[in-house]
Amino acid sequence: MTTFIAIYITLLGLTLGSFFNVVGLRIPAGESLVHPPSQCPKCRTRLTGMDLIPVVSYLFSRGKCRHCGTPISPVYPLGEAATGFLFLVMYLRLGLTLEGVTGILLVCLAVIITVSDLRYMLIPDKVLLFFTPLFLVLVPCLAKVSLGAHLLGALCGGGILLLLALFGGMGVGDVKLFALLGWIIGWPNVILAFLIACALGAGVGGILQWSGVIQRKQPVPFGPFLALGALLSFLFGPDIISAYLSFIG
């Protein structure tokens, strides 16, 4: 039964990941999620079911439109695969619990804002406004840590990035996002998430500069690193913090 549920959760994640790509690309552009139907951005040919199978369609078409041969962005299959994988991890780690549902919703938020930030350097308010009421209701029901810890996480997350934004090192969207993420993962996980995000951001940014993909001082989207830091902290935060304290103690 567990295997069946795991397969179902993974397939659900793959399918929703395809939709999250659409949300992350269309919402910041002010476009409808329904119209026009999915189509090739180059030749405008409407995509059929064969073109919309998560990950599989991309592999079989060798990353190109079947009709005009235009290369398809790898963001699409990566978003689908990441969503399916993270759904599975949340299920295996947390099971069919309220915490597991919260974790899956966190994955949904993370994937959408990652696609949007990578494409437009923007974290849409509409996306944050959709998820905020859900987390405001769910988080107090988890009861793993006190409500005060979650409030402190939100204040700390938003406060740290607000200070950086005041000095021009961060966008307002990042501030709003990390305040919400801080509410979800709480204190002290929010500090761990920030440190992970900074380390990953610096590492990836350095590699991109070294390889010539970006220029020196060219801005790099920070939202995806904040989201990944929050996911890791949500899943493994207490274990990582305990291991670190044992190491230094």
Side-chain angles (χ1 to χ4, degrees):
M1 188 65 177
T2 300
T3 302
F4 173 79
I5 296 175
I7 293 173
Y8 175 80
I9 291 290
T10 303
L11 293 176
L12 178 64
L14 289 169
T15 304
L16 288 177
S18 181
F19 174 67
F20 296 157
N21 281 327
V22 174
V23 175
L25 292 172
R26 292 195 180 189
I27 289 294
E31 299 175 353
S32 169
L33 297 179
V34 180
H35 300 288
S38 296
Q39 59 185 4
C40 173
K42 181 69 175 179
C43 67
R44 302 299 179 182
T45 301
R46 182 171 178 175
L47 303 183
T48 65
M50 290 184 59
D51 304 301
L52 298 173
I53 303 173
V55 181
V56 175
S57 293
Y58 182 88
L59 295 176
F60 272 92
S61 66
R62 299 181 180 180
K64 297 180 180 180
C65 173
R66 291 192 303 114
H67 308 282
C68 67
T70 299
I72 301 171
S73 171
V75 168
Y76 292 100
L78 288 176
E80 295 162 353
T83 308
F85 173 73
L86 289 171
F87 269 37
L88 176 62
V89 170
M90 287 295 175
Y91 168 68
L92 294 178
R93 178 76 174 176
L94 303 172
L96 296 176
T97 63
L98 191 60
E99 190 176 8
V101 172
T102 304
I104 284 177
L105 281 175
L106 178 57
V107 171
C108 298
L109 171 62
V111 173
I112 292 172
I113 65 97
T114 294
V115 172
S116 175
D117 212 15
L118 288 175
R119 178 65 177 84
Y120 301 103
M121 291 282 288
L122 177 69
I123 298 174
D125 286 339
K126 287 183 178 181
V127 173
L128 297 179
L129 287 173
F130 175 83
F131 282 96
T132 296
L134 300 177
F135 288 118
L136 286 177
V137 172
L138 281 172
V139 167
C141 300
L142 298 180
K144 286 196 69 175
V145 295
S146 68
L147 186 60
H150 289 286
L151 288 171
L152 183 57
L155 291 173
C156 186
I160 291 175
L161 264 66
L162 180 59
L163 289 175
L164 294 175
L166 292 176
F167 290 97
M170 203 67 58
V172 177
D174 294 314
V175 178
K176 299 174 185 176
L177 171 65
F178 205 45
L180 177 57
L181 295 176
W183 164 255
I184 299 167
I185 61 179
W187 174 275
N189 286 339
V190 65
I191 298 299
L192 175 63
F194 179 70
L195 294 176
I196 292 174
C198 289
L200 291 173
V204 172
I207 292 173
L208 292 177
Q209 285 187 24
W210 174 79
S211 60
V213 176
I214 64 173
Q215 303 300 315
R216 183 176 175 82
K217 295 186 178 181
Q218 182 177 340
V220 175
F222 196 52
F225 301 113
L226 291 173
L228 183 55
L231 285 169
L232 291 174
S233 297
F234 184 84
L235 285 166
F236 310 110
D239 296 333
I240 295 174
I241 293 172
S242 296
Y244 174 74
L245 292 176
S246 299
F247 178 75
I248 64 174

